[in-house]
Amino acid sequence: MDNDPQRQARVPRDFESLRSTIIERKANMPKRLAQVAAFALGNPDEIAFGTTASIAAASDVQPSTLVRLAHHLGYEGFSDLQSIFRERLRDRTLSYEERLVTLEQASGDDEDANLLSGFIAAASQSVNRLAATVQSDTFTKAVNILADAETIYLIAKRRSYPLTAHMTYAFSKLNIRHQIVASPNGVDPEMVQFATPRDAAIAASFSPYAADSLSQSQELADRGVPVIAITDSAFSPLAACATHWFEVAEADFAGFRSLSASMALTMALPVAIAERRRKHQHSKAGKAKME
């Protein structure tokens, strides 16, 4: 175990910091450590609730690998690492009433102004983080695929649903053929069966990942349909099946997570797709005149 006091001081003590640390070190991790780290980020509840033996069996590694991962990240042992996942679970399972109580306790004298500034700060942090990390070439490649698609399927559930709702509005106004996979009568699996490799999909999901979004995205990928994913980690199951993916780590205020960065991205995509198609049409028209 590393006893360097300075290294110990840098050990992540919250889940978001741990997630960022694992992603940063992913490329340099031994194969087995990377395997169990990916399992941990993809199944945080199992890490919080499980025993060393059950977690090792679920992630297909030896129990000693869990201890090695903990030491590799600077923790005293696996129980120390596991405490981060348990603390995350405690924060996540706060009811909305409990979150409001937390807000009330932290609001101070000017409750409304502090609440508003808190959400604005979280939104600003999320957008700034995306601006610093998003790769323009990934955006260009995603736009190229989506601009060539006959139909764009939109997949998101629960907290992520507003992203596809906005894109439905934007695509409709921009005359881009699309299909939102959000049927009120439960036929989403049948809807995605119409997709072919000539189509494409945009899927969004964040931890804890929506099972339907993952299964539908994986089904599309298995059938050769390009999937552009918006998610929160290189270890996300959604990233694993995506043709291209964007990492969006949203900040939160008192347990309420922002969608600001994700919304900025989903506002940019439809406009970029429409502009790419317009340029292609103009190019074809110019060639036709020359002939």
Side-chain angles (χ1 to χ4, degrees):
M1 184 177 66
D2 191 343
N3 294 316
D4 182 354
Q6 292 185 346
R7 182 177 176 84
Q8 285 293 314
R10 296 193 298 269
V11 173
R13 299 316 311 183
D14 63 82
F15 184 77
E16 286 303 315
S17 298
L18 173 60
R19 185 187 67 84
S20 298
T21 297
I22 289 175
I23 291 172
E24 289 173 3
R25 299 186 187 180
K26 174 188 174 185
N28 297 321
M29 280 187 183
K31 180 180 178 180
R32 287 299 185 186
L33 296 193
Q35 177 180 328
V36 74
F39 178 85
L41 292 189
N43 304 272
D45 290 358
E46 293 191 34
I47 302 298
F49 286 119
T51 64
T52 302
S54 67
I55 295 168
S59 56
D60 195 26
V61 298
Q62 295 296 319
S64 60
T65 305
L66 303 180
V67 179
R68 287 173 51 214
L69 175 65
H71 290 170
H72 182 80
L73 296 171
Y75 294 95
E76 294 181 2
F78 180 68
S79 61
D80 189 21
L81 172 60
Q82 189 177 39
S83 68
I84 306 301
F85 289 85
R86 289 177 174 172
E87 184 67 18
R88 166 200 170 273
L89 188 64
R90 186 195 69 79
D91 291 341
R92 196 197 77 191
T93 53
L94 285 175
S95 69
Y96 276 85
E97 180 64 29
E98 289 171 322
R99 295 180 194 185
L100 291 174
V101 171
T102 300
L103 278 174
E104 182 178 349
Q105 293 173 344
S107 292
D109 295 333
D110 195 341
E111 179 178 344
D112 291 338
N114 289 336
L115 188 151
L116 178 59
S117 64
F119 278 106
I120 291 173
S124 177
Q125 182 181 346
S126 299
V127 172
N128 288 339
R129 183 182 297 165
L130 177 64
T133 59
V134 69
Q135 297 180 347
S136 59
D137 62 331
T138 300
F139 185 79
T140 298
K141 291 174 183 177
V143 170
N144 287 339
I145 289 173
L146 295 166
D148 289 340
E150 291 183 358
T151 300
I152 299 174
Y153 286 78
L154 305 175
I155 300 172
K157 315 296 180 186
R158 298 179 352 205
R159 187 177 73 91
S160 305
Y161 177 78
L163 303 177
T164 49
H166 171 76
M167 284 191 287
T168 295
Y169 175 81
F171 283 143
S172 297
K173 290 294 186 180
L174 294 166
N175 297 316
I176 296 172
R177 183 184 297 175
H178 64 283
Q179 175 64 63
I180 185 169
V181 184
S183 60
N185 54 356
V187 294
D188 289 3
E190 288 78 7
M191 292 171 69
V192 298
Q193 289 178 6
F194 289 103
T196 75
R198 297 189 302 274
D199 302 317
I202 301 175
S205 189
F206 307 92
S207 179
Y209 307 104
D212 286 346
S213 294
L214 300 181
S215 62
Q216 290 159 12
S217 299
Q218 185 64 60
E219 180 183 346
L220 290 172
D222 290 344
R223 297 213 315 270
V225 180
V227 176
I228 306 303
I230 301 171
T231 190
D232 55 3
S233 167
F235 292 115
S236 163
L238 194 56
C241 69
T243 308
H244 298 293
W245 64 280
F246 298 94
E247 180 180 357
V248 183
E250 299 280 8
D252 75 90
F253 178 60
F256 295 92
R257 277 187 290 176
S258 168
L259 270 179
S260 302
S262 305
M263 188 60 75
L265 182 58
T266 55
M267 290 175 70
L269 281 170
V271 176
I273 294 164
E275 179 64 10
R276 186 64 47 82
R277 290 187 173 188
R278 186 185 67 82
K279 289 181 177 179
H280 285 173
Q281 290 172 353
H282 285 184
S283 177
K284 289 180 179 179
K287 290 180 179 178
K289 287 181 180 180
M290 292 177 64
E291 294 174 356

